[in-house]
Amino acid sequence: MAQDSAALAASDAPATELTDGFHLLIDALKLNGVETIYNVPGIPITDLGRYAQGEGLRVLSFRHEQSAGYAAAAAGFLTKKPGVCMTVSAPGFLNGLTALAHANVNCWPMILISGSSEREVVDLMKGDYEELDQLAIAKPLCKAAYRILHAEDIGIGVARAIRAAVTGRPGGVYLDVPGALLGQTMDAIEGRKSLIQVVDPAPAHFPGPDAVQRALTVMKEAKKPLIILGKGAAYAQADDQVRQLVETLGFPFLPMSMAKGLLPDTHPQCASAARSLVLKEADCVFLIGARLNWLLGHGKGKQWGEPHSKKFVQIDIDPKEMDSNQPIHAPLVGDIESCCTALLEGMGDAWTKPSVDWTGAVSAKVEGNVAKMASRLHNNSNPMDYHAALGVLKQAIADRPDAILVNEGANALDLTRSVVDIHKPRKRVDVGTWGIMGVGMGNAIAAAVETGCPVLAVEGDSAFGFCGMEVETICRYNLPICIVIMNNNGIYRGDDVNRSGGADPATTVFVPDSRYEMMMQAFGGVGVYARTPDELNRAVAEAMDGGKPTLINAVIDPAAGKESGNIGSLNPTSVVAEMRAKAKAQSQ
Ligand code: ADP
Ligand code: TZD
Ligand code: MG
């Protein structure tokens, strides 16, 4: 009798509680602190986005995967946690892949999760819906790439992706999620047990005591030392240690683009306005989270005063970075926080700052150049040149130092970078190491979503064109983003001509006087056409203080820009074209 009732009870018991791939993946991300997914829905991940939103994650759907990916990359930079982008297979994956490679090149943690077709079909090339061997394609372009085939491995797959993204030199990680995996079921209790919460994903990395002493010795001997702060230092979120180290050393410092604000650009040691002088004359250069790549002319050439015998000290988490372009006399391999702390301890109280012969000369140059620039910023030229518009934007950021400045373009980028001071760490997000156009809207959306701060996106008209459809995304989520388009009717300049004399416009010019502000109006945002600094000023103040999605079409003189902004010298020159032009001139 007792046996019978036990058997009855068992048969009446509810079936074992089940979970599936969808929910395990969501649970694994949540367990590891992921709060936001930058997404474009479609087969096989539509429901993954829906269920993730249902489970309390913020899932923001974009109009194009590239922008979603750029948002995830920027989120990685701003938060020190992997930004997560989710795409469909093949074309969606490829659209997201540019952003993953961009994150990787910038050393930012990001995870691209893409749905994919089944291995059995892909590997025999049977021609599946959106068939592509995504894992193989992603591998060479990112830091690590994994595929999960079984629901019970989702915990390990996500843990590996998170650790790979943030540990050591951060980077982009690809996670391949075949559609069938999402539908696989398993026992819910076993499923929960299979998940992993990653412990200490980015462990501290201390420099050796010898390395610290070597660095201090080199810096002590320097007569004209210089610090270069890179975006690795901004990423590291060791703001107090970096500031204390820079101020205790007393060296002039140059911030790279996205390290601006780590110490304020108005800091007395900031040498941005004396860049040519300090690069040429420094005898010792201390790189903190900055690579000696193309952005620094590889540490050689005229701008560095070559032939030079400068000594380099470098902090980097990646030992392979040392000696990549110049011999590094004192490498400090470790994380920024540990290295700065160790140096400060090693310096003790008896550090002698560099002589005022050096720091005074730098300050004098800075003051002179800042004064020269000031007059250019208050001009009333009609139409506006870049400086007239940037005078307004410089003040807008000075008045609102918590706002984040997003920036892309050529002249629109280079001039904004040099004119607009940044006052706090991680308040500038731009085109990064590759100089990619089209990151603007993704950067702006991530900046608003991840920080809640107002965003000012200063965009070249060409740059904006790569990602402009995301204004709908901005309106849909009602984000406090003010876009200012520096509209000079084209790429670099709007006044180029077709050299054949034919009817087609020149290759670098657009429809003149395009009314970009109407794109924002189309989705319910505020659109403003601004021809003068006053009009621009009023519109920016209203947008930044009111928080409504706004696009200001700032009319810029088509003749105001330079070819390729500051980097025209990187264009190859055509000997043949020059010869032909000379011959033509002579024959006339
Ligand atoms: P920038 O373009 O501003 O000069 P880069 O992107 O070239 O900066 O360089 C950033 C460097 O910072 C990379 O070499 C990267 O390995 C390093 N880095 C990133 N995070 C850390 C960290 N937490 N500690 C030390 N170095 C770091
Ligand atoms: N495509 C991508 C993805 N990245 C690029 N950097 C380029 C093309 C080439 N490019 C630049 O390097 S800047 C730029 C392009 C197309 C646009 C410059 O025009 P703009 O800025 O309107 O954005 P200015 O103010 O007119 O110089
Ligand atoms: Mg332009």
Side-chain angles (χ1 to χ4, degrees):
M1 180 71 188
Q3 243 178 4
D4 284 350
S5 67
L8 201 64
S11 68
D12 274 351
T16 321
E17 198 195 336
L18 289 179
T19 187
D20 58 23
F22 288 104
H23 292 89
L24 283 166
L25 186 51
I26 293 162
D27 290 347
L29 292 171
K30 280 175 72 174
L31 184 66
N32 284 288
V34 173
E35 292 168 355
T36 306
I37 297 177
Y38 298 94
N39 172 60
V40 175
I43 296 170
I45 53 113
T46 314
D47 277 344
L48 186 57
R50 285 195 184 112
Y51 299 150
Q53 189 176 50
E55 297 289 329
L57 282 163
R58 187 145 196 220
V59 184
L60 294 140
S61 288
F62 282 64
R63 303 300 293 257
H64 194 288
E65 291 86 357
Q66 209 172 73
S67 289
Y70 290 148
F77 168 69
L78 290 167
T79 65
K80 224 182 164 184
K81 294 196 294 195
V84 177
C85 173
M86 201 158 80
T87 79
V88 302
S89 28
F93 155 78
L94 288 171
N95 285 345
L97 194 57
T98 309
L100 187 69
H102 157 74
N104 203 45
V105 163
N106 282 280
C107 314
W108 297 341
M110 169 180 166
I111 300 173
L112 175 67
I113 300 177
S114 293
S116 63
S117 304
E118 302 321 314
R119 296 253 34 90
E120 295 80 352
V121 186
V122 174
D123 289 353
L124 278 172
M125 298 173 75
K126 289 179 167 180
D128 206 352
Y129 167 71
E130 297 190 347
E131 174 185 297
L132 191 73
D133 189 356
Q134 296 168 197
L135 187 70
I137 290 165
K139 251 180 201 164
L141 295 173
C142 61
K143 188 175 171 190
Y146 306 106
R147 178 188 291 126
I148 309 173
L149 289 174
H150 303 293
E152 61 266 31
D153 288 334
I154 286 176
I156 287 178
V158 169
R160 300 216 71 190
I162 286 180
R163 197 178 282 281
V166 295
T167 205
R169 170 180 277 178
V173 177
Y174 175 60
L175 196 57
D176 193 88
V177 176
L181 171 79
L182 297 170
Q184 283 177 23
T185 55
M186 70 181 285
D187 176 80
I189 295 167
E190 289 306 310
R192 222 167 289 139
K193 278 198 235 156
S194 72
L195 301 185
I196 295 172
Q197 186 172 16
V198 179
V199 176
D200 196 13
H205 191 139
F206 298 95
D210 293 357
V212 173
Q213 273 320 311
R214 192 184 301 118
L216 288 173
T217 305
V218 171
M219 292 195 283
K220 237 181 251 168
E221 287 166 359
K223 298 276 179 291
K224 296 179 173 181
L226 169 70
I227 290 170
I228 297 182
L229 296 169
K231 60 178 157 343
Y235 168 81
Q237 296 192 15
D239 306 338
D240 292 345
Q241 289 85 347
V242 170
R243 187 176 180 135
Q244 206 189 333
L245 180 65
V246 173
E247 290 183 340
T248 313
L249 284 169
F251 301 176
F253 72 86
L254 269 186
M256 299 299 287
S257 190
M258 288 178 62
K260 277 163 70 78
L262 201 42
L263 283 84
D265 282 333
T266 49
H267 191 281
Q269 285 168 252
C270 180
S272 291
R275 183 186 165 92
S276 312
L277 174 92
V278 290
L279 284 185
K280 201 174 281 169
E281 299 221 345
D283 61 355
C284 169
V285 179
F286 178 18
L287 299 152
I288 307 183
R291 287 171 285 185
L292 270 181
N293 55 16
W294 74 276
L295 285 158
L296 283 168
H298 307 281
K300 62 182 189 190
K302 227 166 75 186
Q303 62 165 324
W304 286 84
E306 211 169 50
H308 66 69
S309 53
K310 297 180 200 300
K311 293 206 161 158
F312 287 97
V313 179
Q314 182 165 24
I315 298 181
D316 206 289
I317 193 119
D318 186 348
K320 293 195 305 300
E321 187 54 39
M322 305 300 163
D323 309 320
S324 57
N325 285 276
Q326 292 289 328
I328 303 298
H329 298 80
L332 280 159
V333 176
D335 68 275
I336 305 270
E337 182 172 347
S338 304
C339 290
C340 290
T341 307
L343 286 169
L344 280 162
E345 278 168 11
M347 287 160 76
D349 299 326
W351 184 261
T352 313
K353 291 187 178 171
S355 104
V356 290
D357 290 352
W358 170 235
T359 54
V362 176
S363 301
K365 189 79 187 166
V366 167
E367 277 163 32
N369 284 346
V370 167
K372 253 189 247 164
M373 171 82 87
S375 60
R376 298 193 67 188
L377 298 179
H378 297 292
N379 80 70
N380 253 327
S381 56
N382 188 0
M384 289 187 280
D385 62 13
Y386 288 92
H387 286 87
L390 287 169
V392 169
L393 303 182
K394 177 186 169 98
Q395 192 56 47
I397 293 290
D399 293 342
R400 300 166 189 83
D402 282 320
I404 297 185
L405 181 75
V406 164
N407 192 197
E408 61 175 334
N411 295 278
L413 175 84
D414 293 334
L415 294 169
T416 305
R417 183 178 52 238
S418 62
V419 169
V420 179
D421 290 331
I422 303 292
H423 306 271
K424 293 188 173 184
R426 294 172 297 285
K427 295 294 185 186
R428 189 185 150 89
V429 192
D430 64 29
V431 296
T433 302
W434 262 351
I436 294 197
M437 296 301 110
V439 289
M441 295 304 102
N443 283 352
I445 291 168
V449 165
E450 300 290 341
T451 70
C453 295
V455 175
L456 179 66
V458 181
E459 299 271 312
D461 52 337
S462 164
F464 175 74
F466 286 75
C467 54
M469 195 62 207
E470 301 300 341
V471 294
E472 189 276 329
T473 312
I474 291 170
C475 288
R476 187 164 15 108
Y477 294 105
N478 193 26
L479 297 171
I481 296 172
C482 171
I483 304 161
V484 175
I485 298 191
M486 299 290 210
N487 187 4
N488 65 341
N489 295 350
I491 298 174
Y492 315 138
R493 289 169 73 95
D495 60 356
D496 200 5
V497 291
N498 179 340
R499 275 145 223 227
S500 77
D504 281 351
T507 54
T508 54
V509 307
F510 298 148
V511 170
D513 201 27
S514 296
R515 301 302 293 259
Y516 292 103
E517 75 280 11
M518 291 179 184
M519 287 177 68
M520 192 56 117
Q521 291 163 352
F523 302 108
V526 178
V528 182
Y529 184 67
R531 277 157 302 191
T532 64
D534 277 349
E535 287 172 359
L536 178 60
N537 190 28
R538 267 197 302 277
V540 169
E542 201 164 305
M544 300 293 286
D545 298 337
K548 281 208 194 114
T550 300
L551 191 155
I552 304 167
N553 185 359
V555 180
I556 302 288
D557 183 351
K562 283 197 298 184
E563 176 93 357
S564 304
N566 281 358
I567 56 173
S569 61
L570 298 183
N571 283 305
T573 48
S574 162
V575 178
V576 172
E578 277 174 15
M579 270 166 32
R580 286 182 186 167
K582 216 186 218 169
K584 200 170 165 192
Q586 275 165 1
S587 72
Q588 276 166 0

